[in-house]
Amino acid sequence: MGSNMAEAHPVGFQWVMEAKARGAEVVHIDPRFTRTSAVADRHVPLRAGSDIAFLGGVINYILSNELDFREYVTAYTNAAFIVDESYQDAEDLDGLFSGYDHDTASYDPSSWHYESTHAGGRGGSGAKEHGAPDQHGSGGPPLSSGGEEIPSDPTLRHPRCVYQILKRHYARYTPEMVERVCGVPAEQFLRVAQAWTRNSGRERTAALVYSVGWTQHSLGAQFIRAGSIIQLLLGNIGRPGGGVFALRGHASIQGSTDVPTLFNLLPGYLAMPQAGQRTLSDYLGRIVGQNQKGFWHNADAYMTSLLKEYWGEHATADNDYCFDYLPRINGDHGTYRTVMDMVDGKVFGYFLLGQNPAVGSAHGRLQRLGMANLDWLVVRDLAMIESATFWKDGPEVETGEITPETCRTEVFFFPAASHVEKAGTFTQTQRMLQWRDKAVEPPGDARSELWFTYHLGRKLREKLAGSTDERDRPLLDLMWDYAMEGDEPSGEDVLRHMNGIDLTTGRAVNGYTELKADGSTACGCWIYSGVYADEVNQAARRKPHDEQGPYESEWGWTWPMNRRVLYNRASADPRGRPWSERKKLIWWDAEKGEWTGHDVPDFEKTKPPDYRPPAGAVGVEALRGDDAFIMQADGKAWLFAPNGVLDGPLPTHYEPHESPVRNALYAQQGSPVRKVYGRSDNPSNPSPPEPHGEVFPFVFTAARLTEHHTAGGMSRQLPYLAELQPELFVEVSPELAAERGLAHLDWAHVITSRTAVDARVFVTDRMTPLRIENRVVHQIWMPYHWGHTGLVDGDVVNDLLGVVVDPNVFIQESKVATCDIRPGRRPRGPALLEYVAEYRQRAGITPQTGTQVDTTQDAGVAHMEPEERS
């Protein structure tokens, strides 16, 4: 679900086809019949954005038929833990959970905690502005009493135990409700649920694969949680052949989150400090629970080692290891907030490294208008992309919104080296770091990111040399002494520093368990500790598969500690025995007194299965011998989240921000805490209970093609790829084509309240009309790779989308919206603005449309931008 893997991740999909050839059943659940559907055993079309209703139906099917892997569930999840009596479910509050604040559209999660434990929740409008859940790190959210005994009922009969709360919450997600909401016939849904459960349990495991078709929603984090709940109920986590796989659409997208490009994270998923956290102790007290179980209790060692890597000898215990040098978060500084700040004149300079927001980001018009209001813009790319040339040939030049002669932005273009023109590591879907050698020299002035960043830092430090201004100290005190290979910093030396170094010996550490909080170790990314173990670049290993075991532990290096399967302690039963011989991965060897097996154990090697911690134990010592989820605050996998998510402790079906139908399950229409940006340049199409939704009656969704790559900057320049997919097109069903008078291969335009775009019509049975609530709902699909530069050009599909984001991680809802489609080409120039304005007028759209996120009240609060309220 949420992935067209054969199309968007074809190299990885070869292994799905290998499994299919060996008898595995492949089910593809997707709004459109795709290249993945064509080779799957079964394709199930559903309405875009209705995935939680479908997944909730599977959860209900499992629980109502008692098909869960009960021994696994009681041992390794929080199913038995009892939730506080103050908790109220969405079933009680018509789609809301207890703790909802109608004025701020945010939750106080203090009522979600376990009975007799302290509320560890981080909620409210402040948490929502900071993207707080994204900051909980690799260890998940803190739990103040995680190391203490939590009230539980191993029989799973207590009405407030997580298992019973789960049953009650999903009881209404019946096959009939799935049909009403998703458009999937009940009997087709049941076949999927039966196949999923049939292929799970003690002897079998099933894998769940998703991609941005799940993440790019206002409920994206909850889509993934719902899938994880199913996999936990069926015993498919931590076991071979199971898991929840997040596919990555580029070679090192995983690496760009591990060593993050996000405003609220530091390397290794350590939180960025917040305003008011004056000391390192303040910070650590916020991210680690006082009595927390597991390895995240050692976050002080990970953080101190990072500070030592940044500032070296300048970071000492006396100055809090230069903790004060780090910036503080004081609000939303995400991508879309920053773009709006550009428009509003609050941001003056911008670096674009390896992205093309003029084409690849939601609301392309807003992106371009924002960049047109900068003093300077630095673009590094392989080719002259739209984000570098928007000021002279973007769509807004034609409409008169940008004038090249008066556009104030000075653009600096730096040619970049491609992946074959530089050495370094990629980190891919499997969390594997693989070293790539340079194949050819970059042409002309093209340089690597490493070269650019290093020399930018060098020049800035040279210009500031001798400064006595305290604000310059963080830059001047940086450790900037990497080994050089000519004028290029050594990628291997950088990797060694990321691995971590024991400062008392000068040698690379062998893993994160060797990191210390006393300033004696330095480490650039604690989860990568071990990639340079024994002073060897482990990521560069290429031992042939026929010379090692099935987990190929000497091919590349996987974080953490070269474990190929996370939480693999769960592959054995509580006594340490494999659940089955067929699916054994690691197990307890009583004679040797250690965990052994085919993978590196994700558990303390010598801790026996029957270990019980002494009274008052915290951290690693507090983990029982059967606490398989060693990074979690209570050692268990969470079916119910007592902390850590801003939109509820259980995944709940809400309609997308723009939807043609009313929520069939609750009075609450959409996510009650989604982040909306109510402003005149970010309009929303109306959704029930708002009137005039019929102006935009169809569901719009977009995705990728194999022949082009993301925003097209790397593929529209190549003749053979441009020839394979030469023109933007829109896929519609024969029924919709007849209804709107659309002719195959003729022109049509798709329109939303943001803009209209031209495309060739592709009439196809791949788009299935769905019956939702006794009406037919049509879906429209477009690829998004085209822009106005390159050998082939076309309108920017992402211009059709507005900006609304998931409150947990600030990812935009770009996989579902509402739209209209009409035959013929769109108007050009200023006439396009008039055409869009006429649609807005008919739909009654104002800056307030879509901003009343709480629909349980007749007169809720409109969440507008401050400047729009006056």
Side-chain angles (χ1 to χ4, degrees):
M1 294 183 72
S3 170
N4 176 8
M5 190 177 181
E7 183 107 39
H9 307 91
V11 176
F13 194 69
Q14 67 174 313
W15 302 111
V16 177
M17 297 308 295
E18 289 263 5
K20 187 173 186 289
R22 298 181 184 184
E25 185 174 0
V26 179
V27 178
H28 189 221
I29 305 167
D30 195 274
R32 172 176 169 261
F33 188 92
T34 69
R35 285 168 166 162
T36 304
S37 313
V39 294
D41 294 286
R42 181 180 297 122
H43 170 243
V44 179
L46 84 167
R47 180 168 60 96
S50 66
D51 302 60
I52 288 179
F54 188 98
L55 296 165
V58 176
I59 295 171
N60 180 40
Y61 176 81
I62 294 167
L63 296 176
S64 59
N65 292 285
E66 297 192 346
L67 295 172
D68 56 283
F69 187 179
R70 187 61 56 87
E71 294 172 86
Y72 178 104
V73 169
T74 53
Y76 299 141
T77 78
N78 64 351
F81 291 171
I82 296 171
V83 175
D84 191 81
E85 62 182 0
S86 62
Y87 168 73
Q88 290 180 283
D89 195 79
E91 301 305 292
D92 306 310
L93 301 175
D94 216 355
L96 300 176
F97 294 93
S98 51
Y100 187 72
D101 185 321
H102 300 271
D103 293 331
T104 61
S106 62
Y107 279 113
D108 173 0
S110 58
S111 62
W112 307 347
H113 61 91
Y114 301 137
E115 184 177 82
S116 301
T117 65
H118 302 294
R122 184 189 302 185
S125 58
K128 185 174 171 180
E129 286 302 301
H130 297 161
D134 210 20
Q135 296 180 273
H136 290 306
S138 306
L143 194 67
S144 295
S145 302
E148 299 173 4
E149 197 67 30
I150 297 171
S152 65
D153 176 16
T155 69
L156 306 185
R157 294 174 183 168
H158 191 289
R160 285 189 283 111
C161 77
V162 165
Y163 188 87
Q164 292 298 330
I165 290 174
L166 206 66
K167 282 188 75 170
R168 181 167 174 258
H169 181 81
Y170 290 108
R172 68 168 71 194
Y173 291 70
T174 62
E176 293 72 27
M177 183 60 77
V178 171
E179 182 167 350
R180 283 180 62 190
V181 174
C182 304
V184 179
E187 62 275 11
Q188 192 174 18
F189 161 78
L190 283 169
R191 285 196 293 270
V192 174
Q194 290 160 1
W196 204 336
T197 53
R198 186 173 60 246
N199 286 280
S200 304
R202 183 178 286 272
E203 295 294 331
R204 303 184 68 84
T205 52
L208 177 61
V209 176
Y210 76 91
S211 188
V212 294
W214 264 11
T215 57
Q216 292 178 354
H217 290 269
S218 57
L219 288 162
Q222 295 286 16
F223 280 25
I224 299 156
R225 284 207 66 238
S228 301
I229 288 171
I230 294 171
Q231 292 295 75
L232 287 168
L233 288 172
L234 297 177
N236 286 327
I237 301 291
R239 302 181 62 204
V244 181
F245 292 88
L247 300 179
R248 301 303 201 169
H250 198 287
S252 203
I253 294 297
Q254 180 69 53
S256 72
T257 50
D258 298 342
V259 185
T261 52
L262 301 174
F263 78 93
N264 57 351
L265 284 180
L266 292 167
Y269 305 93
L270 287 160
M272 185 70 78
Q274 295 186 27
Q277 293 174 355
R278 298 181 61 85
T279 67
L280 180 58
S281 178
D282 292 340
Y283 166 83
L284 292 170
R286 188 63 167 164
I287 69 169
V288 179
Q290 183 178 359
N291 299 315
Q292 184 162 343
K293 282 188 181 184
F295 282 86
W296 190 245
H297 194 269
N298 298 335
D300 57 347
Y302 315 147
M303 185 62 174
T304 302
S305 297
L306 178 66
L307 295 172
K308 288 293 291 185
E309 173 57 32
Y310 283 167
W311 289 290
E313 62 184 15
H314 299 288
T316 67
D318 292 338
N319 64 13
D320 224 7
Y321 297 104
C322 293
F323 177 73
D324 198 43
Y325 283 1
L326 288 173
R328 304 295 194 266
I329 294 173
N330 62 358
D332 176 359
H333 302 292
T335 297
Y336 293 102
R337 173 79 276 160
T338 301
V339 168
M340 293 172 194
D341 285 346
M342 291 181 201
V343 173
D344 297 339
K346 301 175 183 178
V347 174
F348 307 103
Y350 202 52
F351 284 84
L352 280 181
L353 312 179
Q355 60 175 327
N356 187 11
V359 173
S361 293
H363 207 337
R365 174 177 174 271
L366 192 69
Q367 304 285 340
R368 296 185 293 270
L369 291 176
M371 290 188 289
N373 202 34
L374 295 168
D375 290 341
W376 55 265
L377 173 68
V378 172
V379 180
R380 290 192 75 254
D381 216 290
L382 307 180
M384 197 65 72
I385 56 175
E386 287 82 358
S387 294
T389 66
F390 68 91
W391 59 273
K392 65 177 181 178
D393 55 11
E396 290 69 37
V397 174
E398 185 179 275
T399 60
E401 297 168 276
I402 295 177
T403 306
E405 294 77 13
T406 60
C407 181
R408 64 192 293 247
T409 309
E410 185 173 10
V411 179
F412 299 89
F413 183 82
F414 288 79
S418 75
H419 67 97
V420 298
E421 296 163 351
K422 57 194 173 190
T425 58
F426 285 151
T427 310
Q428 36 86 314
T429 294
Q430 194 185 342
R431 311 181 320 281
M432 181 185 289
L433 284 78
Q434 290 178 290
W435 183 263
R436 307 292 181 93
D437 294 306
K438 181 194 288 188
V440 295
E441 290 295 324
D445 289 332
R447 295 290 186 272
S448 70
E449 291 84 358
L450 195 54
W451 182 96
F452 178 84
T453 305
Y454 174 80
H455 287 290
L456 177 62
R458 178 182 61 81
K459 287 178 177 291
L460 289 172
R461 284 157 56 88
E462 288 173 358
K463 287 184 177 293
L464 292 175
S467 170
T468 58
D469 192 331
E470 278 300 307
R471 74 174 187 172
D472 295 333
R473 293 315 323 162
L475 187 58
L476 290 172
D477 289 348
L478 273 176
M479 295 302 294
W480 211 246
D481 56 350
Y482 302 105
M484 302 295 291
E485 297 171 352
D487 69 344
E488 177 88 7
S490 165
E492 286 207 274
D493 190 50
V494 172
L495 185 65
R496 183 174 179 270
H497 280 78
M498 292 172 66
N499 170 93
I501 298 168
D502 183 334
L503 299 175
T504 64
T505 65
R507 289 187 57 81
V509 300
N510 291 322
Y512 67 83
T513 56
E514 296 182 13
L515 298 178
K516 301 291 194 300
D518 61 4
S520 63
T521 56
C523 176
C525 183
W526 72 274
I527 60 174
Y528 283 7
S529 289
V531 71
Y532 226 88
D534 300 319
E535 294 291 349
V536 173
N537 183 350
Q538 306 288 329
R541 294 175 303 171
R542 297 187 177 95
K543 187 175 182 178
H545 71 89
D546 56 358
E547 296 180 15
Q548 55 180 317
Y551 283 80
E552 299 181 348
S553 61
E554 294 182 60
W555 181 275
W557 184 89
T558 302
W559 69 261
M561 304 293 279
N562 206 29
R563 292 172 184 134
R564 304 305 164 109
V565 178
L566 284 176
Y567 299 119
N568 57 31
R569 165 67 179 90
S571 68
D573 69 16
R575 294 173 60 184
R577 304 167 303 184
W579 291 111
S580 74
E581 280 297 306
R582 182 172 179 269
K583 286 287 181 179
K584 67 180 182 180
L585 182 57
I586 72 159
W587 55 89
W588 176 253
D589 187 325
E591 289 186 8
K592 294 183 178 179
E594 66 180 32
W595 291 92
T596 188
H598 304 305
D599 196 7
V600 176
D602 196 3
F603 205 68
E604 291 173 273
K605 192 174 181 65
T606 59
K607 178 174 281 188
D610 60 356
Y611 170 83
R612 294 297 178 265
V618 296
V620 179
E621 187 186 22
L623 287 169
R624 293 162 40 123
D626 58 359
D627 280 337
F629 290 82
I630 62 171
M631 299 302 294
Q632 289 289 93
D634 53 12
K636 307 298 180 186
W638 286 2
L639 301 169
F640 173 98
N643 185 13
V645 286
L646 296 184
D647 44 6
L650 289 171
T652 303
H653 169 71
Y654 301 113
E655 287 295 319
H657 178 68
E658 294 182 359
S659 170
V661 298
R662 194 74 168 91
N663 190 341
L665 284 97
Y666 311 103
Q668 180 56 40
Q669 170 75 0
S671 167
V673 295
R674 66 191 186 275
K675 275 182 67 68
V676 296
Y677 300 88
R679 42 191 292 149
S680 55
D681 56 9
N682 184 43
S684 295
N685 298 346
S687 291
E690 295 171 319
H692 308 306
E694 71 281 354
V695 175
F696 300 102
F698 309 125
V699 174
F700 169 82
T701 189
R704 306 176 186 182
L705 298 166
T706 301
E707 293 82 0
H708 283 300
H709 184 69
T710 58
M714 293 172 65
S715 56
R716 279 186 276 114
Q717 316 285 340
L718 303 177
Y720 46 90
L721 292 178
E723 184 179 15
L724 285 171
Q725 291 288 0
E727 201 157 26
L728 177 62
F729 59 97
V730 55
E731 291 196 4
V732 298
S733 67
E735 294 84 351
L736 178 55
E739 181 177 325
R740 277 289 191 258
L742 308 174
H744 186 59
L745 298 185
D746 208 341
W747 287 98
H749 60 274
V750 179
I751 183 168
T752 69
S753 57
R754 277 73 62 178
T755 196
V757 302
D758 276 343
R760 293 284 187 175
V761 177
F762 195 93
V763 181
T764 174
D765 290 330
R766 293 192 293 223
M767 301 305 298
T768 304
L770 301 175
R771 182 161 291 277
I772 309 292
E773 293 284 31
N774 297 316
R775 59 174 279 199
V776 173
V777 172
H778 293 287
Q779 302 193 97
I780 290 170
W781 180 88
M782 299 182 79
Y784 72 95
H785 307 288
W786 278 265
H788 55 265
T789 68
L791 299 177
V792 292
D793 60 8
D795 282 349
V796 176
V797 168
N798 279 326
D799 287 6
L800 293 169
L801 300 167
V803 177
V804 58
V805 301
D806 177 303
N808 298 291
V809 293
F810 293 177
I811 288 181
Q812 76 284 348
E813 185 158 76
S814 52
K815 291 301 180 186
V816 59
T818 56
C819 69
D820 193 14
I821 186 170
R822 296 288 175 176
R825 307 201 70 165
R826 63 169 175 83
R828 312 292 301 192
L832 174 61
L833 302 180
E834 297 171 5
Y835 185 60
V836 174
E838 186 270 330
Y839 257 87
R840 291 183 191 171
Q841 185 176 15
R842 280 200 287 127
I845 292 173
T846 71
Q848 289 193 343
T849 303
T851 65
Q852 185 179 322
V853 299
D854 173 15
T855 56
T856 63
Q857 299 181 337
D858 291 334
V861 177
H863 297 278
M864 307 289 295
E865 294 284 282
E867 53 271 21
E868 298 281 349
R869 297 173 190 157
S870 55

